[in-house]
């Protein structure tokens, strides 16, 4: 097989796609962590409200 040149269209498309994929995974991870944190907070809040009433 022939090695692709650095300036070829396929080369930069695949690298940009890879970067976008990595960024998307990182964002999805951060969103999941935020949801978990919010979920824990809401559960604590609900327990507190139940204790009061």
């Amino acid at each position: 097989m022939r090695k692709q040149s650095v300036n070829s269209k396929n080369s930069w498309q695949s690298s940009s796609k890879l970067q976008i994929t990595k960024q998307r995974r990182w964002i999805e991870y951060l969103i999941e962590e935020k949801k978990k944190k919010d979920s824990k907070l809401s559960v604590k809040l609900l327990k507190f409200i139940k204790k009061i009433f």
Side-chain angles (χ1 to χ4, degrees):
M1 288 183 65
R2 208 172 74 175
K3 188 176 180 181
Q4 290 182 346
S5 84
V6 177
N7 295 329
S8 74
K9 185 176 179 182
N10 288 336
S11 176
W12 62 261
Q13 276 184 336
S14 62
S15 67
S16 64
K17 183 178 178 181
L18 181 62
Q19 288 176 351
I20 291 171
T21 305
K22 286 180 180 180
Q23 290 174 352
R24 182 177 293 141
R25 286 183 186 155
W26 178 246
I27 291 171
E28 289 174 352
Y29 169 77
L30 292 176
I31 290 173
E32 280 298 315
E33 289 298 311
K34 180 71 173 162
K35 284 181 181 179
K36 287 179 185 178
K37 186 176 180 181
D38 289 347
S39 174
K40 290 177 184 178
L41 180 65
S42 64
V43 168
K44 289 179 181 179
L45 185 65
L46 285 174
K47 285 181 180 179
F48 180 71
I49 291 175
K50 286 180 181 179
K51 287 180 180 180
I52 292 177
F53 295 108

